[in-house]
Amino acid sequence: MIGNWSVARFGARFAKAGRSAFRAPAPVTYALIAVCCLLFLIGPAAGLNPAYGSGEGLAAAQRAYFHRWGVVPAELFEGAPRAALTPATALFVHGSWVHLLGNMLFLYVFGVLTEQRMGRVQFTLFYLGCGYLALLGYAAANDDSTQSLVGASGAISAILGAFLFLFPGARVTSLLPFLLFLPLRFPAWVVLPFWAGLQWVAAGRAAQGPGVAYLAHLVGFGLGFGYAWARFRATTRVNTAPAPASEGENQP
């Protein structure tokens, strides 16, 4: 899961266009959010589908569901064709309501502008490719683990990395626990490297085997920033200015 402290919502405008970026469409971002939410609601993790039962039966169905569609590192490198697809399918599976809502909030906040800058086709390939590689990198580092890894956070971390390069001046509203959750606004070039630093520290302290995939976050973030640098460094980066919109609230 992408976590745990920062953004909620921000308004930003393209300097050149002079209009609110959120008024422009971002169909791929919205479609990704819709698909992830729909799959979660009809799957066993939401606990709303009576077909999966309840109690121990529901827990067993959840484990089987995550094992089927999630990344199991110990199985990924055995050469089975089905396992090779799991770093893609895992991007659309989430383990809990908090996991889903946190990831979708970050996808909405940072995905809209990034999609508009890249374009729909490029953004789609970027999201899927970086998400796949982020989970693959995590699995390679935990190749003996038999636990399932699910979630879109590797792909969303790539969006954060690209956003940092493309919109370093965008103002992001952050709620920091050590500052009593006061809503403060910082530019992306402050917030996102700080977030990446937290992932680095957490990855170093993480227990053996999958849990919160901090390493996948780092791999995705690096891939996203590297792609944006390689693809857009020859063009002028878009500087954003805050729009007169109300500030949001923190993610779960």
Side-chain angles (χ1 to χ4, degrees), residues 193-247:
F194 183 64
W195 173 86
L198 291 180
Q199 306 308 298
W200 178 273
V201 172
R205 296 178 178 178
Q208 197 73 356
V212 176
Y214 297 111
L215 181 58
H217 297 175
L218 290 170
V219 173
F221 188 85
L223 288 170
F225 186 89
Y227 176 84
W229 176 84
R231 175 66 178 81
F232 296 101
R233 71 180 187 278
T235 62
T236 302
R237 282 184 288 177
V238 178
N239 293 316
T240 58
S246 60
E247 297 183 0

Side-chain angles (χ1 to χ4, degrees), residues 5-7 106 110 159-161 163-165 167 172 187-197 221:
W5 54 273
S6 68
V7 299
F106 270 72
F110 293 101
I159 292 176
L160 301 188
F163 190 96
L164 175 60
F165 181 82
F167 307 102
V172 179
W189 64 265
V190 172
V191 172
L192 295 180
F194 183 64
W195 173 86
F221 188 85

Side-chain angles (χ1 to χ4, degrees), residues 38-251:
L38 177 61
L39 291 177
F40 179 79
L41 290 174
I42 65 177
L48 301 177
N49 190 338
Y52 292 105
S54 60
E56 288 298 322
L58 177 61
Q62 290 172 346
R63 290 192 295 269
Y65 185 79
F66 297 147
H67 187 273
R68 179 177 182 182
W69 301 111
V71 177
V72 180
E75 298 178 2
L76 181 60
F77 301 104
E78 293 179 352
R82 187 199 65 81
L85 294 175
T86 56
T89 59
L91 296 176
F92 300 93
V93 179
H94 291 83
S96 67
W97 285 95
V98 172
H99 189 197
L100 173 75
L101 295 176
N103 277 353
M104 294 306 99
L105 176 59
F106 270 72
L107 176 55
Y108 171 73
V109 168
F110 293 101
V112 171
L113 283 175
T114 305
E115 178 184 345
Q116 291 167 14
R117 184 73 172 93
M118 290 185 176
R120 298 173 187 176
V121 174
Q122 184 177 179
F123 178 77
T124 302
L125 296 176
F126 166 81
Y127 182 90
L128 295 176
C130 289
Y132 187 101
L133 292 175
L135 295 183
L136 186 66
Y138 182 86
N142 297 274
D143 59 355
D144 60 344
S145 174
T146 58
Q147 297 185 49
S148 302
L149 176 66
V150 298
S153 56
I156 299 171
S157 296
I159 292 176
L160 301 188
F163 190 96
L164 175 60
F165 181 82
L166 296 172
F167 307 102
R171 291 280 176 171
V172 179
T173 301
S174 304
L175 300 182
L176 306 179
F178 53 84
L179 292 180
L180 302 178
F181 294 98
L182 295 175
L184 302 174
R185 300 193 69 186
F186 300 100
W189 64 265
V190 172
V191 172
L192 295 180
F194 183 64
W195 173 86
L198 291 180
Q199 306 308 298
W200 178 273
V201 172
R205 296 178 178 178
Q208 197 73 356
V212 176
Y214 297 111
L215 181 58
H217 297 175
L218 290 170
V219 173
F221 188 85
L223 288 170
F225 186 89
Y227 176 84
W229 176 84
R231 175 66 178 81
F232 296 101
R233 71 180 187 278
T235 62
T236 302
R237 282 184 288 177
V238 178
N239 293 316
T240 58
S246 60
E247 297 183 0
E249 299 170 352
N250 73 313
Q251 70 144 16

